[in-house]
Structure formats: C-alpha cells, structure tokens
C-alpha cells in the first residue's frame, strides 16, 4: 500500500484531482485493476494507457497521466507527470527506500522463477514476504510489485531479468538489494549481449549493490567473473567445495531424493520437481533459507509438497502418455537440460521431443539450433517434431518433422502416438508450445 503523499514525494507530480489518498497497489492493466488501485497510463510501442482511462476510472481510485485529458475525472485522484513509466519507477524506488526489511534479488540465465518461488515458500513460514509475481521481472513488473509492500512486510524476494547491458543496473537503482542469488550463466537473451561474456557481465552488474551473493559454485565461468569481488560469496551446487551442496541424488518415477549438506548439518530432501537443474534450484533456495534461519523441518515439508511453476517442468499424464511440459521459455542451456531429462525418463518407452524455435539468439541462432539436432541424435531420442523456422536447422543432424505452428504439430503428434510415450514439449514463449497439450487433451488417448 502507498499514499498520495508517497506518490507526490516520489514523482513531484502535479495533483489535478483529489479523491482517495491511500492505494492498495499500482496497476497498468484495466482487466485486473481493483477498486483501491492507482492506474499508471503507460505508453507502449503498440498501445497507450491514456486510451483506457475511461475504463480504468470505472474501477480504480485514480490515475497517473502524462498529458491532459478531456474526460471527467469523477472525483478520482489524478496526478500529472512528465513520464508515467519513470514515475512508476520513482514510486518503486521511493517505497524501497522507506522499507526497513531485507531485499533478496534472484538473477541468472535459467531457474530464476522456480528458485524465487521456493525461497518465498520457505521464508513465508517465518516472515511476511512480498515477491514478484510470475516472471514480471523487468522495469515495469518490479516497481509494480514493490507498490504492494505493506507495513508488516519483512522480506522482499524480487526476480530481476535482463535482455541487454544496463538492465540489471537500472533495476538495482530501484530495488537496492541486500543480497543476490545467481542461478547460472547461459545463452539466454544473448542477442542483446553479443557474447556469453556479455551475458555474465550483464548479470554481474548487481555486484556493486549487494554485500552477499549465493552463487552456483559448479558454474566455473560464473565463478571466474566473481574473482576479485570483495563481498561475501556463498556457493551452492553438487561439488564438494560448495558451501551448500546436494549429494546422493536418486531419481525415481515421480520424485527425486537427495541429501542437503552444509558445513555443520545435513538432512534428506524429497521433491517432485524433475531434472538435475531443479536439484540446483532447490539447493540454491535451501541455502538462502538456511542462512536466514529456516528450520530443516520446514524446508523438508515445503520441498516435498512444492509443485512445478506452470509450464516449467510440469508432468502431465494422459492415461499412459507422459508429457514433460517445459514450454515457458527456451535457450540453448535450458534446452540441453530438458533433452537430457527426457532421455533419462525413457525407461523402455519411446521418447518424443517436440521443440519450438529459440528466440533472441542473434548470430548464434543457426549454430544453437543445429546443436539441438546433434544432441537429439546423441541422446537417442526416438521422434523429433519441430515448430517454427529456426528449428529446421536441427534437421541437418537428425530426421524429423517441422511445422509452422504448435497446433499443426499437435495434430500430427496426436496421430503418431499410441499412448505410452514420454513427450517433451519445449520452446520459446512466442511459439506457444502449450497449445500442443490442448490439442492432445481434445481427444484423450
């Protein structure tokens, strides 16, 4: 919650109309805005929030605008600013400066959202926690999240995303995190960075703002980037040199079990998350929870009941068919991990990889999709079905079928299945690969 006074102090805006003085949160979406919310009329590349003010005023308590309007404000609170996006960020930064609790930032190429959600579930058993929702991790989503801070909030857990140099720095100027979790460095959004070193440099823009980092100790490239940094480095991973580590890992049909170790304690954990990458995510989150005083009893209970974030490693069963849906996004690093998990799950069944284009790879696009083909062949995946344009490059190394969109691929896949296969569905968000599941569910096998 925040007040009109907070808003004016943060933005130095001009009050045009007075209505309510206390707001539940900031909003940019008239579809979900509530009665006590304040609408920020952001101007995007395709739409302008000012065009939706009349609709916003039927629900919200007021609005922040950057140009005069002829509509009746209906006793709503309206504040005029030069730039509404900048005003939203200024509000987020102002509220962060007033906040006396701890701020944890979660960054990295893969696993951010799952790691963030686990951290929140661990910490919420002891603290009042505010978190970024879904993957709303950019310069709009993060200040929107901070606008929901309450007087009794004790910890914020904020996922910070980056597409290009300067993004993490810009977000840190809003959130000023106390500590950071760095999951790994991979080829995510490499088009905006130009090289894998550029990706690492972009993520490590966070270092001047934090005193402590929890970092993947098995990621040598990441660890090299931390050399010379004077803050506290706490490592997690599988290696014996890690401060927090997973060992004795065993995978079963519907769960995995492993031992979590620190220098002073160890305890067993059970999870229904799939893949070695999720062992890393759990270990990272458990490291943070342990550091902040969460008991092993709570960690054990939360880990066992935690379910995958939607479209991030979900297991969907349709009679004998097992679908491994990891379709929220894709980059070369996460694609490799997903294919390896598909191969691991084979167990006398046919394996089917249904893969969409990986976006934002720039000059790496062809090489990355060719490497997918090589990996499919190496792992012995039985059937390959592609969706999009770039994924066709995989056909240079493996036989398969490529379709223009997910629905076409789903219809073809449905005709190929006998109902006992294990199917991986993965691709970048723009490919809408989850539509394949919808097609399969239309006619349950």
């Amino acid at each position: 919650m925040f007040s009109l006074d907070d808003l004016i102090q943060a933005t130095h805006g001009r009050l045009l109309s007075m209505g309510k003085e206390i707001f539940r949160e900031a909003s940019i979406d008239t579809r979900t805005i509530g009665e006590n919310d304040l609408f920020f009329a952001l101007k995007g590349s395709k739409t302008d929030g000012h065009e939706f003010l009349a609709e916003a005023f039927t629900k919200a308590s007021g609005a922040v605008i950057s140009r005069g309007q002829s509509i009746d404000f209906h006793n709503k609170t309206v504040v005029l600013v030069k730039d509404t996006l900048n005003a939203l960020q200024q509000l987020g930064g102002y509220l962060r400066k007033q906040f006396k609790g701890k701020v944890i930032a979660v960054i990295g190429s893969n696993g951010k959202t799952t790691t963030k959600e686990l951290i929140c579930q661990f910490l919420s058993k002891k603290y009042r926690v505010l978190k970024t929702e879904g993957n709303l991790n950019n310069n709009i989503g993060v200040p929107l999240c901070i606008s929901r801070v309450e007087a009794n909030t004790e910890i914020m857990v904020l996922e910070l995303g980056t597409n290009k140099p300067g993004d993490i720095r810009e977000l840190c100027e809003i959130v000023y995190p106390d500590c950071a979790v760095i999951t790994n460095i991979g080829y995510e959004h490499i088009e905006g960075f130009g090289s894998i070193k550029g990706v690492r440099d972009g993520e490590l823009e966070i270092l001047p703002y934090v005193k402590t980092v929890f970092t993947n100790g098995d990621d040598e490239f990441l660890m090299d980037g931390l050399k010379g940094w004077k803050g506290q480095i706490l490592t997690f991973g599988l290696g014996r040199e890690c401060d927090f580590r997973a060992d004795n890992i065993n995978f079963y049909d519907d769960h995995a079990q492993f031992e979590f170790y620190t220098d002073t304690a160890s305890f067993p954990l059970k999870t229904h998350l799939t893949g070695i990458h999720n062992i890393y995510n759990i270990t990272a989150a458990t490291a943070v929870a342990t550091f902040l005083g969460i008991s092993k009893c709570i960690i054990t209970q939360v880990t066992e009941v935690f379910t995958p974030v939607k479209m991030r490693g979900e297991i969907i069963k349709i009679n004998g068919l097992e679908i491994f849906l990891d379709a929220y996004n894709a980059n070369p690093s996460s694609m490799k991990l997903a294919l390896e998990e598909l191969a691991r799950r084979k167990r006398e069944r046919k394996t089917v990889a249904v893969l969409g284009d990986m976006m934002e790879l720039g000059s790496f696009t062809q090489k990355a999709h060719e490497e997918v083909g090589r990996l499919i062949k190496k792992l012995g995946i039985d059937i390959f079905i592609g969706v999009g344009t770039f994924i066709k490059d995989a056909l240079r190394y493996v036989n398969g079928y490529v379709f223009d969109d997910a629905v076409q691929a789903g219809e073809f896949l449905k005709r190929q299945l006998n109902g006992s296969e294990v199917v991986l569905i993965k691709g970048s968000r723009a490919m809408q690969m989850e539509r394949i599941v919808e097609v399969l569910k239309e006619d349950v096998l």
Side-chain angles (χ1 to χ4, degrees), residues 203-251:
E203 297 287 3
L204 296 185
E205 289 173 358
I206 202 167
L207 294 181
Y209 297 89
V210 296
K211 296 179 181 179
T212 301
V213 295
F214 297 84
T215 189
N216 188 328
D218 296 341
D219 189 329
E220 294 181 5
F221 185 67
L222 170 56
M223 294 301 296
D224 284 343
L226 291 169
K227 288 180 178 177
W229 185 62
K230 302 303 183 182
Q232 181 183 30
I233 299 174
L234 298 171
T235 56
F236 62 85
L238 311 187
R240 291 199 170 272
E241 300 302 315
C242 292
D243 298 304
F244 304 91
R245 65 185 176 91
D247 202 355
N248 301 322
I249 303 166
N250 292 289
F251 291 100

Side-chain angles (χ1 to χ4, degrees), residues 50-57 63 65 68-74 78:
H50 293 84
E51 299 172 1
F52 300 93
L53 277 172
E55 181 181 355
F57 284 153
I65 62 176
Q69 298 292 306
S70 60
I71 64 174
D72 187 345
F73 292 153
H74 299 295
V78 179

Side-chain angles (χ1 to χ4, degrees), residues 387 403 405-412 431-432 435-436 438-439:
V387 180
F403 298 88
D405 63 58
V407 173
Q408 291 176 355
E411 295 290 353
F412 176 81
M431 304 311 296
Q432 297 182 304
R435 296 173 69 191
I436 294 171
E438 296 171 6
V439 172

